[in-house]
Amino acid sequence: MSKTFEIRKPLDMHLHLRDNDMLKLVGPLTSNTFSGALVMPNLVPPLTTKEALLAYKQRILEACKDDDFTPYMTLFFQNNYSFEFLQDIKDEIIGIKLYPAGITTNSETGVSSMDIEVLRATLENMSKLGIPLCIHGETNGFVMDREKEFMPIYESIAKAFPNLKIIMEHITTKDAVELLDKYDNLFATVTLHHLLITLDDVAGGMLDPHLFCKPIAKRPEDRTALLNAALKAHPKLMFGSDSAPHPKHKKECCGCAAGVFTSPIALQVLVELFEKHNALENLNDFISNNAQKIYNLNLNEKTIKLVKKDFIVPAIYEYKDEKVVPMYAGKTLSWSIDSIL
């Protein structure tokens, strides 16, 4: 059994860094070990202008200090982005994130209609300019069926804009895994927690607020489909943690915020998971190579060496008044980060 493992140029292709003191807390927990991350734009207010986007990127770089880390920026989707505006901002972004209105954290100003004709102007401009579309794919239906109900919308966009690269973000169902192979221009990210948990882990016994997320964890057969695709490093699937920090008091309360904070443990748990299933040879494709190909990225060399040694997950991470509880708080993992080269 291997005692060490190296991850080369790790990428997190779906990450929430928040802002202000929360950014200063969670930013370095990604930038220390990841080569880069695709940063979500759902701040308050959301990132819809070049000025706001560049200012946020600068705050991220300042929070991450001297780490060899690239924040890949995204714009918050709006129906009225002109060709000239997108052409001007194209080199500053890696994609545009579409949120159905009110479907998740800070998405109140998202898209209120998924009708192709309503979206057409922006999508046509994105397609012409080669800007990928990242989508939070859920309807407002019954919570367990929201992603499945969104599948026809993915299909309609994929067919209407065959040259538009579409990323189904944080997929949670076997239906989404199956859809990957149906259209050449469909790709996806999957989170760490959706590879590990089902709804039963969240609410089957005592409610665990630190596993409550959106999209909500689904059924065992969905987890199995996601895990199988990840372990085989399906070439159209990328790791995207959707690590979503919320203050401890907003998680451990009535009306708890949706989000699982996994950034500090992602690499350790992924090595543990892939080792358990005898698939370590595929981990670098899943966590780096696939994303590099899909997004045409050229990264600086960064290698994370992990060692088979117990790592006790901290009970809490804190900076000033911000306190965040990670997934698996207080538990022991079988792999630790040994060095960063």
Side-chain angles (χ1 to χ4, degrees):
M1 184 178 294
S2 176
K3 298 294 184 182
T4 63
F5 186 79
E6 290 186 351
I7 297 178
R8 298 178 299 277
K9 304 178 182 179
L11 288 166
D12 184 345
M13 300 309 292
H14 187 121
L15 178 67
H16 295 274
L17 288 176
R18 310 305 189 202
D19 210 346
N20 304 314
D21 283 347
M22 182 63 83
L23 167 60
K24 293 175 182 177
L25 168 61
V26 304
L29 295 174
T30 288
S31 64
N32 183 44
T33 52
F34 282 80
S35 292
L38 187 150
V39 181
M40 292 293 110
N42 57 330
L43 303 183
V44 179
L47 301 179
T48 58
T49 69
K50 186 175 182 179
E51 293 73 22
L53 183 134
L54 292 178
Y56 183 43
K57 182 177 182 179
Q58 184 59 37
R59 294 197 297 276
I60 293 171
L61 292 172
E62 290 172 359
C64 298
K65 300 176 182 176
D66 298 323
D67 288 336
D68 183 9
F69 172 78
T70 302
Y72 295 106
M73 307 304 292
T74 58
L75 202 64
F76 193 93
F77 187 98
Q78 292 192 320
N79 291 330
N80 59 350
Y81 285 141
S82 69
F83 183 88
E84 292 72 23
F85 170 76
L86 293 180
Q87 187 175 43
D88 179 60
I89 202 173
K90 179 180 184 296
D91 291 341
E92 304 294 344
I93 61 175
I94 197 173
I96 296 179
K97 178 67 182 293
L98 188 157
Y99 293 90
I103 205 69
T104 191
T105 304
N106 299 339
S107 64
E108 289 75 17
T109 59
V111 172
S112 57
S113 170
M114 294 302 301
D115 184 279
I116 287 290
E117 295 310 314
V118 174
L119 306 175
R120 181 173 295 279
T122 295
L123 293 183
E124 282 187 346
N125 291 333
M126 291 174 63
S127 183
K128 291 175 183 176
L129 290 165
I131 300 173
L133 173 68
C134 307
I135 304 181
H136 182 121
E138 290 191 284
T139 68
N140 270 319
F142 178 66
V143 68
M144 290 291 284
D145 297 330
R146 289 176 181 177
E147 182 174 283
K148 183 176 181 179
E149 290 174 353
F150 203 90
M151 294 300 106
I153 299 174
Y154 279 132
E155 292 201 67
S156 66
I157 298 175
K159 287 187 287 189
F161 302 94
N163 296 320
L164 178 65
K165 191 171 288 183
I166 302 163
I167 317 297
M168 302 186 292
E169 295 291 350
H170 45 50
I171 59 173
T172 65
T173 61
K174 60 183 179 61
D175 303 273
V177 173
E178 292 167 358
L179 195 60
L180 268 179
D181 293 321
K182 192 170 180 180
Y183 297 92
D184 290 342
N185 57 335
L186 278 183
F187 304 86
T189 61
V190 66
T191 76
L192 176 65
H193 48 283
H194 287 117
L195 296 177
L196 296 166
I197 67 173
T198 68
L199 183 58
D200 202 48
D201 296 293
V202 183
M206 296 292 287
L207 181 66
D208 187 340
H210 296 291
L211 293 182
F212 172 62
C213 57
K214 290 184 178 179
I216 198 165
K218 304 297 192 303
R219 301 169 177 83
E221 56 267 32
D222 295 304
R223 178 183 60 184
T224 296
L226 297 170
L227 183 58
N228 286 341
L231 293 172
K232 294 174 183 175
H234 189 297
K236 300 177 78 178
L237 185 67
M238 305 167 279
F239 173 68
S241 71
D242 195 17
S243 182
H246 290 282
K248 183 175 185 287
H249 70 273
K250 290 191 176 181
K251 290 294 290 182
E252 299 176 359
C253 65
C254 180
C256 113
V260 181
F261 182 53
T262 58
S263 289
I265 64 166
L267 298 185
Q268 301 95 307
V269 175
L270 282 170
V271 173
E272 184 175 282
L273 180 63
F274 275 62
E275 179 195 38
K276 175 183 175 182
H277 292 278
N278 299 310
L280 276 174
E281 69 276 8
N282 293 330
L283 181 52
N284 273 290
D285 285 339
F286 174 64
I287 202 168
S288 179
N289 297 334
N290 288 354
Q292 290 183 63
K293 293 174 184 176
I294 293 168
Y295 277 101
N296 300 315
L297 303 178
N298 185 18
L299 305 175
N300 292 331
E301 192 63 45
K302 186 174 188 177
T303 300
I304 311 302
K305 182 179 179 182
L306 294 100
V307 62
K308 197 70 176 291
K309 177 183 176 182
D310 284 354
F311 170 69
I312 301 175
V313 181
I316 199 164
Y317 289 87
E318 55 187 313
Y319 174 82
K320 294 186 178 179
D321 292 333
E322 297 288 4
K323 298 180 180 181
V324 181
V325 177
M327 183 179 182
Y328 290 162
K331 296 185 179 179
T332 301
L333 307 177
S334 61
W335 286 83
S336 299
I337 293 174
D338 181 63
S339 60
I340 303 168
L341 306 174

